[in-house]
Amino acid sequence: MFKINGLLTVENVLKSVNPLMIFTYYCKNYKKPGVKFPSEFRKETNPSSVISYYNGTYIYRDWE
């Protein structure tokens, strides 16, 4: 999947993965940036979470 050179530190891991990779792994309902999806933290009928690209990085927002 990816290779980490050097010691296993937070800094070295973050050089090898980006926030979108992390969100994709942990947010199973997520499909693509900018599209609302059901929150992973509670049961809901109306999707309120979204992952968007903002200021050069991806951010997770939960509007509930």
Side-chain angles (χ1 to χ4, degrees):
M1 180 182 217
F2 58 88
K3 184 176 181 177
I4 298 173
N5 295 323
L7 297 174
L8 187 59
T9 64
V10 172
E11 293 79 17
N12 286 337
V13 170
L14 291 176
K15 289 177 188 174
S16 300
V17 297
N18 64 44
L20 189 57
M21 293 168 92
I22 296 169
F23 291 138
T24 301
Y25 182 82
Y26 286 104
C27 300
K28 301 302 180 192
N29 296 320
Y30 166 73
K31 301 297 181 211
K32 64 181 185 176
V35 177
K36 289 185 179 180
F37 60 92
S39 174
E40 300 293 326
F41 302 110
R42 66 188 166 282
K43 291 184 179 186
E44 59 185 9
T45 55
N46 295 324
S48 66
S49 301
V50 66
I51 295 172
S52 302
Y53 191 74
Y54 180 75
N55 282 346
T57 192
Y58 288 92
I59 58 169
Y60 177 97
R61 297 193 97 173
D62 191 348
W63 298 98
E64 182 89 4

